[in-house]
């Protein structure tokens, strides 16, 4: 896969891209290892924050709950697959940041507003302060069951 193929798949799914997300797509390795995952949509209140909290604090709290980060490719596939995102909503992926052309760190985000549905790159400096209502999405770990 490639950035161009990802943009085409997003467009086919009815998603626009932003300059930031296109910068990030250019740095995302595509291996076509899509897998079905269970997602946890969490705002700051859900994880115990009643005021703003930094990226480091929010991601840290989510990971201590046993949830996992998205790999960038899986984050893109999630946005392509999300056909039912309600209007006037936005969520950001819990993932390692990817820098844009100006070296600013971002995570993938998905928005749906009156001007359309899009894949975005959301600012994610370690000290960036997220509001409690901001929604982040993480992945439940895969459970392997071994049969004796």
């Amino acid at each position: 896969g490639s950035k161009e193929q990802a943009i085409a798949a997003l467009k086919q799914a009815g998603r626009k891209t932003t300059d930031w997300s296109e910068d990030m797509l250019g740095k995302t390795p595509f291996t076509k290892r899509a897998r079905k995952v269970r997602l946890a949509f969490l705002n700051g209140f859900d994880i115990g924050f009643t005021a703003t909290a930094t990226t480091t604090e929010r991601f840290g709290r989510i990971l201590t709950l046993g949830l996992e980060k998205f790999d960038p490719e899986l984050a893109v596939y999630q946005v392509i697959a999300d056909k039912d995102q309600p209007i006037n909503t936005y969520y950001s992926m819990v993932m390692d940041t990817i820098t844009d052309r100006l070296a600013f760190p971002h995570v993938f985000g998905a928005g749906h507003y009156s001007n359309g549905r899009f894949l975005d790159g959301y600012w994610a400096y370690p000290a960036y302060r997220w509001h409690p209502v901001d929604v982040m999405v993480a992945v439940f770990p895969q459970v392997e069951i071994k049969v004796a």
Side-chain angles (χ1 to χ4, degrees):
S2 68
K3 171 184 173 179
E4 291 74 23
Q5 289 171 319
I7 291 171
L10 285 155
K11 186 175 182 179
Q12 185 174 0
R15 293 273 183 182
K16 300 173 186 177
T17 55
T18 65
D19 290 344
W20 290 327
S21 67
E22 289 190 20
D23 285 353
M24 294 171 65
L25 288 169
K27 296 180 178 183
T28 299
F30 289 97
T31 61
K32 296 189 179 184
R33 290 181 304 159
R35 62 183 171 101
K36 192 169 193 149
V37 295
R38 288 185 25 224
L39 304 175
F41 288 78
L42 303 163
N43 64 36
F45 297 112
D46 295 331
I47 56 175
F49 292 109
T50 58
T52 61
T54 67
T55 301
T56 301
E57 292 166 334
R58 293 267 310 248
F59 281 23
R61 180 78 51 89
I62 288 168
L63 297 176
T64 61
L65 295 173
L67 298 169
E68 298 176 349
K69 295 178 184 178
F70 276 90
D71 68 48
E73 178 181 28
L74 186 60
V76 173
Y77 294 148
Q78 160 55 29
V79 174
I80 290 169
D82 188 356
K83 310 267 191 245
D84 300 319
Q85 183 178 5
I87 193 156
N88 297 322
T89 62
Y90 189 99
Y91 57 85
S92 300
M93 308 297 186
V94 176
M95 58 181 277
D96 290 332
T97 60
I98 300 173
T99 55
D100 66 14
R101 69 189 78 170
L102 300 174
F104 296 124
H106 296 272
V107 294
F108 282 120
H112 184 186
Y113 296 105
S114 59
N115 62 344
R117 298 165 65 236
F118 57 92
L119 173 73
D120 190 24
Y122 197 84
W123 299 84
Y125 293 97
Y128 179 81
R129 300 203 70 83
W130 299 75
H131 292 278
V133 295
D134 292 335
V135 176
M136 292 182 169
V137 183
V139 178
F140 279 98
Q142 285 188 301
V143 178
E144 292 184 31
I145 301 172
K146 295 184 180 181
V147 179

